[in-house]
Amino acid sequence: RVHGDLESCTCASCFRLLMEDVLRWFLLLLNALVLAFTVRQRHFHSAEHNRMFTEEGKKTILLVIAHPDDETMFFYPFIRNNSSHEIRVLCLSTGNADKLGEVRKLELENCCRRLQIPPQRLFIEDHPALQDGMHQRWNIDVVAELVWSRMSGVDMVVTFDQHGVSSHPNHIATHLGVRQMLVRHADELSNVDALMLESTSFFRKYAGIFDVPSLFSSVFFSNANVVELYRTLRCHHSQFVWFRKLFILVSRFAYYNTFRHIPFKSSESY
């Protein structure tokens, strides 16, 4: 009986070690593929990309997100590729849908430290009109006002597009509020660049590294270190459930960020 139990434990341990090795090699292979794509992409950055991120020197960038963990789940390649610029993060809610708002605020602070964004450049709002939830309708005017209050000294604002990546209503409201702010203050923001993270079809969203059309976007960033992304997302411990771990492996947003301009001047349209 004891001998049988020991044999079962040994088999289970061997299987676990085997699976860990398989996962490790899979991650290394993914990293190698992303690195190859990244090296190739560096030779094809558009003139527009170079103007905004290389030729004009250091910028102050305001990243506007809806919830704690959005910065890592969706914008990680952008943040990692722009550490030479001053990135500020405005989070419009505490993510309190499950009554974990205070916990999630601390998690976001820890995550931003890991991303080299100090506490003085992180702003977390908790407005009654902007509470986390799939069925919560956000007040677009409030979003616009809060974003405008953080625009001093900003050269570029970055957020979701009108589809919100995952069609989450809070993401979409974030985009609408940012765009409303831009339209209202267009004259004052004539020298500000405004970018929105490109949403894709379901199949491209979960194509991971194989989302080849991303390579032809005019504003493109890639991530070659999936292991570091995993460690960073782990800062959001309360949200670090199995489907988010899977998301890291299969989502194109773990590997690529592509952007389009937010149209807010009279001559521009979607």
Side-chain angles (χ1 to χ4, degrees), residues 27-134:
L27 290 174
L28 287 172
L29 175 61
L30 285 178
N31 279 340
L33 287 171
V34 173
L35 184 59
F37 278 121
T38 303
V39 170
R40 179 177 180 272
Q41 177 64 16
R42 282 176 180 169
H43 297 287
F44 294 96
H45 272 161
S46 67
E48 178 184 33
H49 182 112
N50 288 332
R51 175 189 67 79
M52 287 190 291
F53 295 98
T54 306
E55 296 171 1
E56 294 184 351
K58 185 175 180 179
K59 286 181 174 290
T60 298
I61 301 170
L62 180 66
L63 172 62
V64 185
I65 58 176
H67 317 108
D69 79 9
D70 288 347
E71 81 296 332
T72 307
M73 290 280 289
F74 305 114
F75 293 93
Y76 185 84
F78 175 82
I79 293 173
R80 272 305 183 194
N81 279 274
N82 287 290
S83 58
S84 61
H85 299 290
E86 179 181 308
I87 297 179
R88 304 173 184 175
V89 175
L90 171 58
C91 185
L92 294 172
S93 79
T94 62
N96 198 38
D98 297 318
K99 309 304 179 186
L100 294 171
E102 291 304 312
V103 172
R104 297 192 67 184
K105 283 169 65 176
L106 292 174
E107 291 173 345
L108 179 56
E109 290 170 6
N110 290 333
C111 184
C112 282
R113 286 191 188 95
R114 189 176 185 93
L115 292 169
Q116 300 177 17
I117 300 171
Q120 62 268 28
R121 300 210 309 255
L122 171 62
F123 313 102
I124 305 174
E125 302 292 346
D126 189 17
H127 195 284
L130 306 179
Q131 293 300 300
D132 177 24
M134 289 294 293

Side-chain angles (χ1 to χ4, degrees), residues 6-7 26 35 39 51 63 85 98 100 126 133-134 139 150 158-160 182 196 209 221 224 229 245 259-260:
L6 288 173
E7 191 174 67
F26 178 70
L35 184 59
V39 170
R51 175 189 67 79
L63 172 62
H85 299 290
D98 297 318
L100 294 171
D126 189 17
M134 289 294 293
N139 187 313
R150 302 296 181 183
V158 177
T159 192
F160 297 101
L182 291 166
M196 53 185 175
I209 187 177
F221 298 96
L229 169 57
K245 298 175 185 178
F259 292 89
R260 293 181 292 125

Side-chain angles (χ1 to χ4, degrees), residues 11-24:
C11 290
S13 298
C14 288
F15 179 75
R16 185 174 66 253
L17 290 172
L18 176 62
M19 292 307 296
E20 288 176 356
D21 284 341
V22 169
L23 179 60
R24 188 178 298 111

Side-chain angles (χ1 to χ4, degrees), residues 122-215:
L122 171 62
F123 313 102
I124 305 174
E125 302 292 346
D126 189 17
H127 195 284
L130 306 179
Q131 293 300 300
D132 177 24
M134 289 294 293
H135 303 292
Q136 295 288 336
R137 294 180 63 85
W138 281 14
N139 187 313
I140 304 305
D141 288 325
V142 172
V143 173
E145 290 169 6
L146 289 174
V147 176
W148 175 243
S149 72
R150 302 296 181 183
M151 286 296 293
S152 177
V154 170
D155 303 303
M156 176 183 293
V157 60
V158 177
T159 192
F160 297 101
D161 70 3
Q162 68 270 35
H163 304 294
V165 175
S166 58
S167 298
H168 195 299
N170 300 164
H171 296 178
I172 294 170
T174 298
H175 166 82
L176 293 174
V178 169
R179 185 167 187 267
Q180 182 161 293
M181 180 277 299
L182 291 166
V183 170
R184 284 179 178 174
H185 301 279
D187 291 339
E188 298 158 89
L189 301 174
S190 58
N191 294 321
V192 171
D193 288 307
L195 296 178
M196 53 185 175
L197 181 65
E198 183 181 25
S199 298
T200 61
S201 67
F202 176 87
F203 296 104
R204 283 188 61 193
K205 180 179 178 180
Y206 294 109
I209 187 177
F210 301 105
D211 182 32
V212 176
S214 294
L215 297 174

